[in-house]
């Protein structure tokens, strides 16, 4: 993707969460959510990106927004830092905007190298270059517009109005079955500024996102690999017209799942950010994403 440039290291790191999801999906056929590990200034043990929840998959990534060369010596410095990473690692990805360097290519005749940590455990090291990424079709339209605002992205598929009407009808039926109006009421009435929510309220949104990512993967690749349940077949019939709603759903779900910690509040299982120092920033994002998702819901179902 030589003609697109990130504006900041933060944007690139955020993008890498989507990139890792795509890498894992192609490698093992699983839809795994990835999130940033900690923040600048914190001890991260050479790891920027983790699967979320953290125990989902022992796969991590380090992001390097570089214009200068990134050499084998630089890589070894980063790998040494993983001695201080407290969790298991089986695969480590270095994702970078730097150009390929011969020192790393020579060290990876099989496409990867193996690193052994101080505790005796080892993991495979892979490197992926932004310049060699063929496309960003896995990236939702709203994310493309965020990272590259100077580019006018449009939908590749232009369905005819009759097809879109039929797809919206399928989406309305799907929402009636999986997210009835009671869930819309919750989006509009829950006090997200409280810093927590009950798990039972959030779970239906989380579960629908999981299926959407699998269905979207099959849709983009024109295959039926993940169309193995009635729900996913129904969801497939909603595309591409329903992508706008589902992208709003993903944005809401990710803004919650990327930060929350399981808790028990008022005798119920809850998801909470009450102990996080940046909780007010997080809850403002919850409010904004919930309002937008509720609007998209009303536009389709009511």
């Amino acid at each position: 993707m030589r003609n697109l440039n990130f504006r900041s290291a933060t944007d690139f790191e955020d993008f890498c969460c989507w990139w890792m999801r795509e890498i894992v999906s192609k490698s093992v056929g699983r839809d795994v959510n990835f999130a940033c590990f900690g923040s600048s200034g914190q001890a991260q043990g050479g790891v920027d990106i983790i699967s979320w929840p953290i125990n989902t998959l022992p796969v991590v990534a380090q992001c390097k927004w570089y214009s200068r060369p990134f050499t084998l010596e630089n890589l070894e410095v980063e790998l040494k830092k993983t001695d201080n990473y407290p969790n298991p690692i089986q695969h480590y990805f270095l994702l970078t905007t730097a150009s390929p360097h011969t020192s790393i290519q020579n060290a990876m005749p099989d496409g990867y190298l193996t690193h052994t940590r101080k505790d005796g455990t080892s993991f495979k090291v892979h490197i992926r270059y932004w310049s060699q990424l063929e496309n960003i079709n896995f990236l939702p339209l709203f994310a493309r517009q965020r990272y590259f605002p100077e580019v006018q992205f449009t939908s590749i598929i232009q369905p005819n109005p009759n097809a879109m009407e039929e797809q919206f009808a399928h989406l309305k039926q799907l929402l009636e079955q999986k997210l009835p109006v009671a869930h819309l009421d919750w989006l509009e009435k829950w006090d997200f500024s409280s810093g927590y929510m009950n798990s039972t309220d959030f779970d239906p949104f989380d579960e629908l996102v999981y299926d959407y990512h699998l269905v979207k993967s099959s849709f983009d690749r024109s295959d039926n690999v993940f169309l193995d349940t009635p729900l996913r077949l129904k969801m497939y019939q909603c595309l591409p017209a329903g992508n706008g709603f589902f992208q709003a759903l993903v944005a809401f779900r990710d803004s919650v799942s990327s930060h929350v910690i399981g808790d028990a509040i008022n005798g119920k299982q809850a998801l909470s950010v009450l102990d996080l120092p940046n909780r007010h920033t997080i809850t403002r994002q919850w409010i904004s994403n919930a309002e937008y998702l509720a609007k998209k819901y009303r536009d389709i179902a009511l």
Side-chain angles (χ1 to χ4, degrees), residues 1-6 11-12 14-20 22-23 26 97 129-156 216 220-221 247:
M1 303 302 294
R2 296 179 182 275
N3 297 324
L4 295 176
N5 297 300
F6 293 92
D11 277 359
F12 181 61
D14 191 59
F15 163 79
C16 286
C17 294
W18 294 100
W19 196 1
M20 283 301 300
E22 174 69 1
I23 289 170
K26 284 186 173 181
T97 55
Y129 295 100
W130 167 247
S131 62
Q132 295 178 347
L133 186 61
E134 294 182 356
N135 62 68
I136 53 172
N137 294 343
F138 58 86
L139 197 63
L141 181 60
F142 76 88
R144 300 182 205 182
Q145 293 169 336
R146 172 186 169 189
Y147 304 136
F148 312 110
E150 71 280 5
V151 180
Q152 294 297 317
F153 291 103
T154 57
S155 175
I156 297 174
K216 184 66 162 54
D220 289 342
R221 296 166 187 165
Q247 288 170 4

Side-chain angles (χ1 to χ4, degrees), residues 52 190-199 202 252-265 269-287:
W52 190 259
W190 181 258
D191 181 12
F192 291 102
S193 65
S194 65
Y196 79 94
M197 62 190 72
N198 295 325
S199 298
F202 177 71
F252 170 70
R253 179 262 205 174
D254 286 357
S255 68
V256 175
S257 62
S258 295
H259 301 284
V260 292
I261 298 171
D263 203 347
I265 299 177
Q269 290 296 314
L271 303 171
S272 168
V273 294
L274 293 174
D275 293 331
L276 299 183
N278 60 336
R279 61 185 178 278
H280 298 301
T281 300
I282 296 171
T283 56
R284 282 196 296 270
Q285 191 64 56
W286 289 359
I287 293 169

Side-chain angles (χ1 to χ4, degrees), residues 34-50:
F34 284 83
C36 296
F37 182 54
S39 57
S40 179
Q42 295 180 329
Q44 297 169 281
V47 171
D48 288 330
I49 305 293
I50 56 171

